[in-house]
Amino acid sequence: MAGQVSFDFTGKRVLVTGGTRGIGRGAVEAFLTAGARVAVNGRTDQSTNAALATLSIEAVAAPGDVATAGGCRAVVAAAVAELGGLDVLVNCAGIATGGPVDGVSEETWDAIVDINLKGSFFCLQAALPHLRASLGNVVNLASDAGLIGEVGLSVYCASKGGVVNMTRALALELAPDIRVNAVCPGYVDTDMVRRDVIDAAANPAAAEAALKASAPLNRIATPEEIASAILYLASDAARFMTGAALQIDGGTTAGHPRQA
Ligand SMILES: NC(=O)c1ccc[n+]([C@@H]2O[C@H](COP(=O)([O-])OP(=O)(O)OC[C@H]3O[C@@H](n4cnc5c(N)ncnc54)[C@H](O)[C@@H]3O)[C@@H](O)[C@H]2O)c1
């Protein structure tokens, strides 16, 4: 594929939460292609097994809901039982609901923060003994919405801002043995954007054009483009990187766009 970078993860054991579709699925496929053994986490047995059945290279199942600490421990335990250890944890499971502040319920706040922020923390905590043994590393899915604000997404922004600064704090705490980095994508062509934002809009074509225009590079990303950055951060090529929040957003967070 044009623009594809190759990495060698032969012998490495990788867990991708939220690996059944979208960016997580892109990361799963890229790690498998790079020679890794991969545990795929989806929220249920059914979604996880359905995803595994469609992969062209075999992966193993680590199903479970990462919205609770107990769920995170079960997911990591399942992955380690299948893989015999862990070299890389990718915290990709996430949701992006919300809406204007007036209508946000406590349930919505809890759901977003529990999956996006708490889940990333407790999956890392559960993985720590295994990552210490392998001198492994963690890649967290933050967002451009963790670096700048976005109207109607205040809770999502809070959760992703939390992921960015939690990444920095844990990078300091776990150095020099375990690296912890984050990727900050802009809009990516996944269910989260295609199904829930573009297709759900009154005028999908106008909604897609507006999303594209919000990035100076004038398009939305593919899951493969985010997966490349995840593999880079997880690889030895990034061995001097920790605590980074790497933007892959077509320039969205670079500053004010060119004025007409
Ligand atoms: N799509 C974007 O534009 C975009 C931009 C920036 C950041 N992100 C982040 O990237 C990550 C992946 O997003 P995506 O676009 O691929 O979304 P997606 O909706 O396509 O996929 C989300 C994945 O998370 C899983 N998931 C959700 N809740 C879960 C739970 N409680 N337990 C276990 N798994 C759960 C889903 O099953 C799915 O596999 C998310 O953290 C998201 O916030 C996405």
Side-chain angles (χ1 to χ4, degrees):
M1 185 199 295
Q4 197 171 33
V5 185
S6 47
F7 295 97
D8 183 4
F9 280 89
T10 306
K12 298 293 184 188
R13 300 150 301 180
V14 179
L15 166 61
V16 182
T17 72
T20 60
R21 63 171 198 253
I23 296 169
R25 162 88 186 209
V28 165
E29 289 177 350
F31 275 116
L32 288 170
T33 302
R37 293 170 59 221
V38 180
V40 178
N41 159 254
R43 199 168 50 79
T44 64
D45 290 352
Q46 198 184 14
S47 65
T48 305
N49 290 330
L52 289 182
T54 61
L55 291 169
S56 56
I57 303 174
E58 198 177 339
V60 300
D65 188 340
V66 301
T68 66
C72 293
R73 286 192 282 271
V75 168
V76 171
V80 168
E82 290 285 347
L83 300 175
L86 200 62
D87 297 282
V88 179
L89 167 66
V90 181
N91 280 314
C92 193
I95 59 170
T97 54
V101 58
D102 317 69
V104 174
S105 66
E106 186 175 358
E107 288 72 26
T108 296
W109 169 279
D110 286 345
I112 295 171
V113 174
D114 285 355
I115 297 170
N116 296 1
L117 181 56
K118 192 172 94 175
S120 299
F121 180 88
F122 282 103
C123 282
L124 181 149
Q125 186 191 66
L128 260 186
H130 312 289
L131 295 173
R132 284 198 168 107
S134 64
L135 301 180
N137 72 84
V138 180
V139 181
N140 292 322
L141 264 291
S143 172
D144 60 351
L147 301 170
I148 59 173
E150 193 161 343
V151 173
L153 280 178
S154 54
V155 186
Y156 183 74
C157 288
S159 73
K160 294 299 185 178
V163 170
V164 167
N165 218 24
M166 179 178 78
T167 297
R168 296 180 181 125
L170 289 170
L172 297 175
E173 185 173 326
L174 300 176
D177 293 339
I178 299 171
R179 296 185 300 111
V180 187
N181 290 293
V183 289
C184 298
Y187 292 116
V188 188
D189 200 343
T190 68
D191 283 357
M192 189 178 273
V193 164
R194 174 70 51 186
R195 185 193 62 194
D196 299 345
V197 179
I198 296 173
D199 292 345
N203 183 339
E208 182 166 6
L211 292 190
K212 287 178 175 172
S214 71
L217 294 187
N218 206 28
R219 64 178 179 82
I220 58 180
T222 65
E224 292 75 22
E225 288 169 330
I226 311 307
S228 290
I230 294 170
L231 266 72
Y232 167 65
L233 288 174
S235 76
D236 283 347
R239 63 188 172 275
F240 201 53
M241 290 183 73
T242 196
L246 185 61
Q247 295 133 280
I248 316 127
D249 62 4
T252 301
T253 55
H256 298 296
R258 188 184 296 123
Q259 299 302 312

